[in-house]
Amino acid sequence: MIVMKFGGSSVANAERINSVISILQTRIENNENISVVFSAFQSVTDSLIDIGNLALKRNAAYKSKLKTLTQLHFEAINELNYGRDISILQYKAESLFDELSEILHGVFLVKELTAKSLDYIVSFGERLSCTIITESMINRGIDCEYLNASQIIKTDNDFGKARVNFKLTNRNIKAYFKKHKMIQIVTGFISSTEENEITTLGRGGSDYTAAIIGASIDADAIEIWTDVDGILTADPRKVADAFSLKSVTYEEAMELSHFGAKVIYPPTMLPALDKKIKIIIKNTFNPEAAGTTIVEKSREQTTDSASDISNDSEEFFIKGISSIDNVSLIRVQGSGMIGVSGIASRLFTALALHKINIILITQASSEHSICLAVLPEHGEKSKAILKNEFRLELLDKIIGEISVEDNLSIIAVVGEKMRHSPGIAGKIFMALGDNAININAIAQGSSELNISLVINKDDLSKALNAIHSKILKRQ
Ligand code: ADP
Ligand code: ASP
Ligand code: MG
């Protein structure tokens, strides 16, 4: 079995959906056993969030936006099924839109939009896309079945980014797939609590759905179909010279995506790694391209023969560069901190209690200061939390200052072989130095898989391009 997943850009309109259906038909003709996960149509999740918030603010514009969204889906229904009977599909889509508009009306009336109701609202994106695709495939004579994954993927009740209960989920998936032998058209991104309330797996979470299902049924591969030729050495929107990688390891993919490479959702790698199932990233718009394979060991680590090493990035120590464009840096400093144990652990605990995610941490070897990168919306809040946590240390001058600095970016340079190559850091600093780019903080992951740099946001584009051309130029 191969679990395939197509993202929003692959299903942006009827024409693109038709291309996806042809890709699937070829696979079916080749007697391949497939299950297919779909995201909502492009931008639909964003629109649903926007509409929910407008309803909350009692802004009547939510109705016209809902109408536009309805039209978009009905246009796809009509175009995909031109000359065919659409009565069943029309009925199903209308029922979904009726249900959605009732919920939105409720939000409008009670002026309340909880994380729980927002998850329910966004779930319509995937429920609609998969309903439309399933019925359009059936209309073409392809035997397939709609699967609302929220019935089998079970999570806690952390709405917006729920954690999967794998024990329950794996049991459900196995039992479901044992009974259903037809091609499954599966809603990505959505899940539910044990009480059957809809949850979501976090933005971009359809990739994760594919991996959860793939790992549970011991799939031969998990294929993530998107709009680029695989994982590239950098975000192609920021570095024009970025090129596609043949293979990366699960850890490298996780590290690149954690630091901003949107092409794959970071948790996706975990279920796949657990079962050693390869993930292949492919381009829906260029299916001939090989794409990138995510495996346990990338190619250059498995070969002993230098002649086997191709003339592309595989021989490079660095696999790629990614970035988080906007972060804030919290600096906790004071000469009294030297040798005082427990400060770092209290700092993590205090922020964790408020659900603040720390993206990066660095500690100067003198222990004179600890820097933490957080999302900008958490900057001032983190400072206030830490000022409260360390109020006695601040009074006693053990800690001199807790400050927050905004408008920064993080660049992460990732590659497993970096640990054997002491010269890499030097090259990175040289690339930045040559361009007069100041580094605010540096961190190296303990695995030495990653060197992260905090720089001014204004320098991001220049820095990415300078580092890329210094260490990742295609030969
Ligand atoms: P999908 O809709 O298929 O889920 P996404 O928009 O989530 O697609 O992810 C694909 C996008 O990720 C690409 O169009 C590209 O702009 C962006 N991206 C960022 N960094 C990278 C990278 N290192 N390699 C490939 N794509 C990247
Ligand atoms: N539709 C969801 C989102 O936009 C999930 C996904 O695209 O993977 O976040
Ligand atoms: Mg995505």
Side-chain angles (χ1 to χ4, degrees):
M1 165 80 81
I2 303 220
V3 179
M4 304 168 80
K5 174 261 168 179
F6 290 85
S9 52
S10 301
V11 289
N13 52 45
E15 195 192 333
R16 293 189 180 183
I17 297 169
N18 268 322
S19 316
V20 171
I21 296 179
S22 338
I23 292 175
L24 299 182
Q25 272 171 323
T26 312
R27 308 292 288 262
I28 297 165
E29 279 158 20
N30 287 342
N31 288 322
E32 287 184 57
N33 195 2
I34 55 171
S35 284
V36 198
V37 175
F38 284 97
S39 296
F41 295 164
Q42 191 166 39
S43 311
V44 166
T45 309
D46 288 338
S47 298
L48 287 164
I49 295 171
D50 183 31
I51 292 170
N53 281 303
L54 286 170
L56 170 70
K57 288 181 206 135
R58 296 197 129 241
N59 184 333
Y62 92 82
K63 285 193 178 158
S64 60
K65 294 216 172 187
L66 179 59
K67 200 169 159 200
T68 309
L69 200 68
T70 313
Q71 277 163 354
L72 181 139
H73 284 87
F74 277 91
E75 266 165 34
I77 290 175
N78 288 317
E79 277 181 50
L80 279 169
N81 296 285
Y82 192 71
R84 297 183 177 108
D85 180 13
I86 55 166
S87 50
I88 297 175
L89 181 48
Q90 211 160 5
Y91 170 76
K92 288 188 175 175
E94 269 163 15
S95 310
L96 284 168
F97 275 110
D98 286 347
E99 191 186 338
L100 173 61
S101 76
E102 259 179 50
I103 300 156
L104 289 166
H105 186 56
V107 170
F108 182 82
L109 288 179
V110 301
K111 286 197 257 176
E112 190 183 64
L113 180 63
T114 57
K116 179 157 124 181
S117 31
L118 192 59
D119 270 359
Y120 191 17
I121 290 170
V122 294
S123 77
F124 284 87
E126 272 69 11
R127 287 158 70 196
L128 279 160
S129 66
C130 287
T131 301
I132 295 171
I133 292 165
T134 309
E135 293 299 326
S136 302
M137 284 175 63
I138 292 173
N139 262 341
R140 284 163 177 70
I142 304 170
D143 283 340
C144 61
E145 214 171 20
Y146 170 83
L147 166 57
N148 183 340
S150 69
Q151 287 163 4
I152 52 175
I153 299 184
K154 289 290 171 185
T155 65
D156 64 8
N157 62 0
D158 206 350
F159 296 96
K161 197 175 179 177
R163 269 174 298 270
V164 176
N165 176 337
F166 276 99
K167 206 170 158 201
L168 215 54
T169 300
N170 287 337
R171 199 193 305 150
N172 288 346
I173 294 174
K174 283 196 176 88
Y176 182 89
F177 277 82
K178 211 171 183 179
K179 275 205 209 125
H180 295 80
K181 296 295 176 196
M182 235 185 252
I183 295 173
Q184 298 298 310
I185 304 298
V186 190
T187 56
F189 181 51
I190 61 176
S191 39
S192 70
T193 63
E194 280 183 55
E195 287 74 40
N196 296 322
E197 294 159 327
I198 295 245
T199 50
T200 56
L201 300 172
R203 293 303 307 272
S206 297
D207 301 337
Y208 194 26
T209 305
I212 294 166
I213 294 179
S216 175
I217 59 175
D218 291 307
D220 300 304
I222 297 157
E223 295 182 359
I224 306 291
W225 289 75
T226 182
D227 60 353
V228 283
D229 285 349
I231 300 185
L232 309 186
T233 47
D235 185 337
R237 293 165 300 184
K238 294 177 188 144
V239 178
D241 291 342
F243 54 94
S244 129
L245 293 156
K246 283 203 175 58
S247 66
V248 299
T249 65
Y250 296 107
E251 284 82 5
E252 287 168 337
M254 222 163 345
E255 208 77 6
L256 281 167
S257 59
H258 174 73
F259 283 98
K262 191 179 169 238
V263 62
I264 189 156
Y265 184 53
T268 308
M269 267 57 76
L270 296 171
L273 171 64
D274 197 34
K275 289 281 187 79
K276 310 271 185 287
I277 299 172
K278 65 179 175 220
I279 302 175
I280 307 168
I281 319 252
K282 296 274 292 174
N283 189 350
T284 308
F285 307 100
N286 185 17
E288 308 308 319
T292 302
T293 308
I294 306 175
V295 281
E296 214 184 349
K297 283 188 185 344
S298 65
R299 207 154 51 86
E300 88 276 28
Q301 290 168 293
T302 54
T303 176
D304 292 329
S305 157
S307 60
D308 282 353
I309 297 174
S310 71
N311 207 17
D312 62 19
S313 67
E314 302 297 330
E315 68 175 297
F316 293 157
F317 295 114
I318 306 293
K319 284 301 177 64
I321 310 171
S322 55
S323 62
I324 302 180
D325 300 2
N326 201 1
V327 299
S328 294
L329 200 64
I330 315 290
R331 208 182 285 273
V332 180
Q333 59 187 14
S335 42
M337 276 162 62
I338 299 171
V340 178
S341 63
I343 291 205
S345 82
R346 276 171 61 199
L347 193 146
F348 288 137
T349 310
L351 295 180
L353 275 175
H354 291 84
K355 292 200 167 171
I356 291 176
N357 180 32
I358 302 171
I359 304 166
L360 168 149
I361 172 157
T362 75
Q363 182 170 27
S365 56
S366 66
E367 296 185 37
H368 187 71
S369 76
I370 298 177
C371 289
L372 313 163
V374 295
L375 289 174
E377 58 268 33
H378 293 152
E380 285 301 331
K381 191 175 168 197
S382 306
K383 182 175 148 183
I385 293 166
L386 295 179
K387 278 198 154 167
N388 183 45
E389 172 68 29
F390 294 112
R391 57 195 180 279
L392 296 179
E393 284 80 359
L394 281 161
L395 268 178
D396 291 345
K397 305 264 187 290
I398 291 172
I399 291 176
E401 197 192 355
I402 299 178
S403 60
V404 55
E405 203 178 329
D406 296 323
N407 295 318
L408 300 170
S409 300
I410 299 179
I411 291 185
V413 181
V414 175
E416 282 204 344
K417 284 190 84 184
M418 221 154 63
R419 71 182 68 144
H420 305 301
S421 173
I424 295 291
K427 277 193 175 174
I428 297 170
F429 300 142
M430 212 186 293
L432 296 180
D434 289 348
N435 286 279
I437 296 166
N438 188 36
I439 305 172
N440 296 53
I442 300 168
Q444 180 164 30
S446 56
S447 61
E448 293 183 46
L449 188 71
N450 162 347
I451 296 177
S452 310
L453 312 155
V454 181
I455 57 163
N456 289 335
K457 205 173 147 207
D458 292 341
D459 290 330
L460 179 63
S461 171
K462 196 160 61 159
L464 283 171
N465 282 283
I467 298 174
H468 193 274
S469 67
K470 187 113 192 151
I471 55 178
L472 275 159
K473 214 171 197 169
R474 207 199 297 251
Q475 291 185 336

